[in-house]
Amino acid sequence: SRALFTGLGKELSAYNYYDSLKKLRFPLLVLGGEYDVIPKIALTRIKDNLPSARLEWFQKSGHFIYLEEQERFQKIVSKFVK
């Protein structure tokens, strides 16, 4: 999202890493929260460009999902790393 990187410089807001993501061939867990500054559409695009990724969306969280939905976060991450 361009709005997210407005204050971080032109280089970062214009950087396209999606093609690079396609090269990653190991399981990845993408986590996001409804109230985070990173919108769900951006995380979905990241997930869609990762061949073996899974997206988990937290409805009651912002950026700190590990604090805001601790129990669900721990369950999902524990299952993922097993």
Side-chain angles (χ1 to χ4, degrees):
S1 159
R2 287 205 185 278
L4 178 63
F5 300 114
T6 300
L8 300 176
K10 293 178 185 177
E11 297 82 17
L12 188 56
S13 67
Y15 185 71
N16 182 347
Y17 54 84
Y18 296 105
D19 286 336
S20 299
L21 293 176
K22 294 174 184 173
K23 297 175 187 174
L24 302 176
R25 299 287 177 209
F26 46 85
L28 290 151
L29 181 59
V30 180
L31 304 171
E34 184 69 28
Y35 303 104
D36 197 346
V37 295
I38 302 171
K40 188 175 186 177
I41 194 167
L43 294 178
T44 300
R45 186 173 178 198
I46 290 170
K47 191 248 334 154
D48 289 347
N49 282 279
L50 289 163
S52 59
R54 183 174 118 209
L55 173 62
E56 289 288 343
W57 193 248
F58 291 77
Q59 297 293 334
K60 301 174 185 174
S61 297
H63 191 70
F64 300 102
I65 55 178
Y66 61 94
L67 295 174
E68 296 164 326
E69 292 185 65
Q70 290 179 11
E71 199 171 301
R72 181 166 177 246
F73 173 83
Q74 290 173 357
K75 183 178 177 182
I76 288 170
V77 172
S78 293
K79 184 177 178 181
F80 179 77
V81 297
K82 285 185 180 181

